[in-house]
Amino acid sequence: MSVDGWNTVLVLGGIRSGKSEFAESLVTDAPVVRYLATAPEGDPEDTEWATRLAAHRARRPGSWTTEETTEDPRRLADVLASAEPNETLLVDDLGGWVTVLLDPAHQPADDVATIDELADAIRTCSARVVLVSPEVGLSLVPTTPLGRAFTDALGAANRAVADACDAVALVVAGQPVWLKPAPSTTAPAAPANATGLASPGSATPAVPGSATTTAAAGSATPAAGSASEPSAGSLADAEPTPEVQLPDVLTHTPPVVPAQEPGNPWAAPTMALPMVATGLVIQPGMELPMPDEFAGPQAVDRLATLDVPGAGLGVLDRVVGFAATTQGTPTPRAWSSVRVLLLHGDHAGGASAGTVAGESARRAAQARAGRGALARLAAESGASLQVVDTPTAAPMEDQPALSPDQVESALRYGWRLAEQAADAGVQLLALGACGAGTEAAAAAVLAATAGAEPPAVLGRVITDAGEIDDAAWMIRCAAVRDALHRTHRSPRGAKDILAELGGGDVAVATGVLLGATARRVPVLLDGPVGVAAGMISRDLAGQARHWCLLADHGGHPSVRLAADVLGLTPLLDLRMDLGEGANALVALPLLRSVLALAAALPVHPSLGGDEEPGPAPDDPESAYAEPDFAEPEPAGPGPASTGADEQPASGWRAG
C-alpha cells in the first residue's frame, strides 16, 4: 500500500468535514474498489437525506462496486473477514452501521460483542480497508435518550476500530491530521502508480519516527528501503526531512484478574468478573452472559404454526420470545417458581414530600404479615415474597444520598439476593419497592443518566384521601433540581450517581439485576425503582437490560422514559397503580398462561402437525358422538302452575 505499509485506515471527521472525500482519495489508485454502504435508505419523503446519498453515489467511479450491509449489522464483519488480499474496501460509514445496530429490529443483541467482532475482523482482514466514521466526541451531550445511546455506541465503535486499524486520520475543515502512525519501523512504500492507498499531498508520505528517510513532501519518489527500486539519482537529489518523534499510542490494558480459590461460591457463576479477598467487585465493563438471540425468533416463528383458531397471541408473542431467549429454547416453559423482592428504603428531605411519616414501614410490615395488595397477589399467583430493608438515603439536595462504602455494600447485597434466589431454583424475579421518595430518586437518576427534565418524569402526588397535592410535587421537583445543581460538576459514573442521587433501594435493585444476569435469571420490572436500576446497570454491564421484562408502565412518566431508553416495550397498558411490584403480579397469571399455551399446542395439521389425542368418534363419551335429543320426561304429579309462578331451574327469582 502507498501509505507506508498500512493495511487498514480509519478516517474520522465531523459533519461536512470532508472525511468521505479524503477517504475516497486514499483509494483512487486502486483499479477496483468494493464500496460498502452502511446507511439505511431512511424516510422516502426526506429529500435532503436522499440528496446526500445521491451525492455520495455520484462521486464513485464506474469501476467501483457497491454493496449494502444494512440488513444485518454483523454482515460488515463477515464481508471484511472474507475479503481477499488483492481487494480494496471502502466502508462509509460507521455511523450508519451503528444506526442499524441499534435498530429495535436487531434486538436483543449484545452491542459490545458485535463491535468487538467488527474490530477482530479488521485486525485479521487481509484486504486493504479504509473506514469512515463520524467523530461525535467533540460535540455537546445530546439532549434526547436516543441521541445519547447513538453517541455512546458510536464512540465505543470508534475506539475499538481505531485500536484495530494500522492508521487513524482526523479530518477537520478538509485538512487531514494523522493521529496514529504505523507500528512498524521499516514500513515499505509503494510507487505512485501502485494499487493501494494514496496519501494526501504525495504518493508516499513519511512515517513519523520511522527508521527510513523519505523524499520531500509532494515528491512521488519512493522511500529508501522500499520494495520498489527508485530511478537513478533520485535519492541523491532528494533533501532528507528531519525525523519527527511522536508519542507512543497508548492502549488500555485491562487489570489482571487474580486467581480464585476453588471453594469460593461467588466465582463459579461469574468467572469473567474480578474478585478480591473481600469478595465480589462490581465495576463498569463486566462481561455477563447474554440471552440466546436465536431462540427468541425461532419461538416467535413457531407460534405462527400452532393449531389455534384465530390470529394468535398478538403482542403477547413478545412474552414467548423473551422467555425463549432467557431459557435458551424455542419452546419455553411457564415460570413455576417466582420470587418477589420488595425493597423498603426511605429517601429523606424533599424527595419524600407529601408522604405520611411511617407509611412505608407500615407497608413493609403489612407485606411481611401476608396482608396488603402485594402479599395477596403473590399468594394468589403462588410467588414467594421477600421484604428487603435497604439503607435510608440522606437528603440528596443537601448531601450525597449514600457513602461510597454504602453503595458497594448495597450492590453486593443485591447481587447476593439474586444468587440466593437462583440457588433456590427461582426461575423469575420480580422487583418491587415501598419506600418514601422513590419517585423523586428515580427522577434524579433519569435526569443524570438520560438527560430527563425532572418535572417531566415526576408523577403527580396523590394523598391517602385521593387528592392531588401540587405543593408536594413542587417540593419534590425542587429537591431533584437542587440535587442536580449540587452535583453538576461531579462524575457521572454508575456508582457516583448511586451515591449522590440513587439511594439504597436503587443500589440494591441494581445489584439484583446484575446478579440475576450473571445467573441467567430474568427479572420482571414494575415501577420507578426497577427502571432506575436498569439505567444504572446499563453502565455497569450492558447485558443486564436484555434479561428484563416490563409488564406495565403503570402510568408513571419515569417508567415510560426509562423503558424507551432501555428498549423495553410494556406488554400491557392497564394504568393500574397498586404499588411498585403489584402490577407485575397482576400480569403474571396472564404471562404464565401464554407460555403454557404456546408450549402445549401442537402444530396445525395442515403444516404437518399431529392431531391432539382424544376419544374415538364412536366412543359414547366422545365429543364426536351424536347428541341425544330425546323428549324430556313429563313433570311429576302436582298442582298446575301458571307461567307467572314458574321459576328458573337455577332458583334465581325474576325481579
Side-chain angles (χ1 to χ4, degrees):
M1 295 183 64
S2 57
V3 186
D4 286 0
W6 299 344
N7 204 53
T8 52
V9 179
L10 172 63
V11 178
L12 298 169
I15 299 174
R16 298 296 189 183
S17 62
K19 59 183 181 297
S20 293
E21 292 90 332
F22 174 69
E24 293 165 5
S25 71
L26 297 180
V27 296
T28 53
D29 290 339
V32 178
V33 175
R34 293 175 63 185
Y35 187 97
L36 303 180
T38 62
E41 290 294 334
D43 187 353
E45 298 181 359
D46 189 348
T47 57
E48 193 274 338
W49 178 249
T51 303
R52 285 173 178 256
L53 295 181
H56 276 261
R57 296 188 182 102
R59 289 201 306 265
R60 302 171 202 164
S63 60
W64 291 14
T65 60
T66 301
E67 300 180 29
E68 303 284 346
T69 63
T70 57
E71 294 297 329
D72 183 2
R74 290 186 171 179
R75 171 165 162 71
L76 180 57
D78 295 338
V79 172
L80 293 175
S82 61
E84 299 294 332
N86 60 344
E87 291 184 305
T88 300
L89 278 63
L90 175 58
V91 181
D92 194 359
D93 66 5
L94 293 183
W97 180 78
V98 169
T99 301
V100 177
L101 178 64
L102 298 180
D103 192 313
H106 299 114
Q107 298 295 331
D110 190 346
D111 303 338
V112 176
T114 307
I115 292 173
D116 291 340
E117 290 176 3
L118 177 62
D120 292 339
I122 294 172
R123 288 189 181 93
T124 59
C125 184
S126 58
R128 296 176 291 275
V129 182
V130 176
L131 302 102
V132 183
S133 185
E135 174 51 59
V136 294
L138 303 179
S139 62
L140 297 175
V141 177
T143 59
T144 62
L146 292 179
R148 282 186 295 277
F150 173 78
T151 54
D152 290 346
L154 183 56
N158 285 346
R159 291 180 61 180
V161 173
D163 183 68
C165 285
D166 300 330
V168 180
L170 174 65
V171 180
V172 181
Q175 306 303 310
V177 179
W178 291 96
L179 305 179
K180 181 179 180 181
S184 64
T185 58
T186 58
N193 60 355
T195 299
L197 302 182
S199 66
S202 70
T204 55
V207 179
S210 67
T212 59
T213 303
T214 61
S219 171
T221 308
S226 166
S228 301
E229 289 296 330
S231 59
S234 60
L235 290 178
D237 297 337
E239 291 291 335
T241 58
E243 182 175 335
V244 180
Q245 196 69 30
L246 292 182
D248 293 335
V249 178
L250 301 179
T251 57
H252 172 69
T253 303
V256 179
V257 180
Q260 298 304 306
E261 298 179 3
N264 190 343
W266 296 105
T270 54
M271 297 302 294
L273 296 178
M275 308 286 293
V276 295
T278 57
L280 176 70
V281 175
I282 297 178
Q283 63 183 16
M286 293 185 295
E287 297 180 4
L288 300 183
M290 278 287 293
D292 188 339
E293 60 181 305
F294 301 105
Q298 292 173 357
V300 174
D301 292 343
R302 178 179 172 274
L303 294 178
T305 67
L306 297 184
D307 187 8
V308 294
L313 298 176
V315 297
L316 292 179
D317 61 358
R318 294 199 299 266
V319 179
V320 180
F322 174 80
T325 60
T326 53
Q327 296 180 22
T329 173
T331 55
R333 64 186 186 279
W335 303 295
S336 59
S337 178
V338 180
R339 176 173 295 180
V340 183
L341 298 177
L342 180 63
L343 307 181
H344 170 230
D346 292 338
H347 297 257
S352 58
T355 58
V356 179
E359 178 66 13
S360 65
R362 186 183 74 86
R363 293 291 183 189
Q366 191 181 56
R368 285 191 176 97
R371 301 191 304 272
L374 185 68
R376 294 181 182 277
L377 287 171
E380 188 72 22
S381 59
S384 61
L385 175 60
Q386 182 177 359
V387 182
V388 180
D389 291 319
T390 65
T392 300
M396 60 180 172
E397 62 268 34
D398 299 326
Q399 64 189 81
L402 297 176
S403 67
D405 290 340
Q406 286 178 309
V407 170
E408 294 289 349
S409 299
L411 287 172
R412 287 196 292 266
Y413 183 49
W415 186 292
R416 291 186 176 93
L417 289 173
E419 287 274 1
Q420 292 171 1
D423 292 338
V426 172
Q427 300 168 354
L428 177 70
L429 281 172
L431 276 181
C434 64
T438 56
E439 294 87 351
V445 170
L446 287 175
T449 57
E453 291 293 335
V457 292
L458 264 174
R460 307 297 291 270
V461 179
I462 310 296
T463 66
D464 292 338
E467 299 177 349
I468 297 177
D469 191 344
D470 286 335
W473 178 82
M474 288 188 286
I475 294 175
R476 294 186 184 185
C477 289
V480 177
R481 177 203 62 198
D482 294 344
L484 295 174
H485 179 72
R486 179 182 62 81
T487 61
H488 74 283
R489 295 186 182 275
S490 301
R492 281 293 187 257
K495 294 182 181 179
D496 302 309
I497 295 176
L498 288 175
E500 296 287 352
L501 308 170
D505 48 2
V506 179
V508 172
T510 302
V512 169
L513 293 183
L514 296 174
T517 300
R519 294 299 298 269
R520 301 178 181 272
V521 177
V523 181
L524 193 58
L525 301 182
D526 176 25
V529 171
V531 295
M535 296 293 295
I536 297 294
S537 64
R538 180 189 63 164
D539 296 332
L540 293 171
Q543 303 87 352
R545 67 185 179 93
H546 297 292
W547 294 88
C548 297
L549 182 67
L550 183 61
D552 196 336
H553 55 69
H556 293 283
S558 58
V559 177
R560 291 177 183 270
L561 173 63
D564 181 51
V565 176
L566 295 172
L568 303 177
T569 303
L571 297 171
L572 306 175
D573 188 11
L574 302 179
R575 300 180 184 274
M576 293 189 306
D577 190 5
L578 300 174
E580 183 162 353
N583 295 340
L585 291 178
V586 170
L588 181 59
L590 175 62
L591 307 185
R592 280 172 162 170
S593 299
V594 167
L595 292 176
L597 187 65
L601 285 177
V603 176
H604 196 277
S606 64
L607 300 176
D610 297 328
E611 290 284 356
E612 289 188 273
D618 55 352
D619 190 337
E621 301 296 330
S622 171
Y624 298 100
E626 290 293 333
D628 184 9
F629 292 111
E631 290 292 332
E633 297 181 2
S641 61
T642 63
D645 295 329
E646 292 179 357
Q647 302 299 327
S650 63
W652 176 79
R653 181 179 295 275

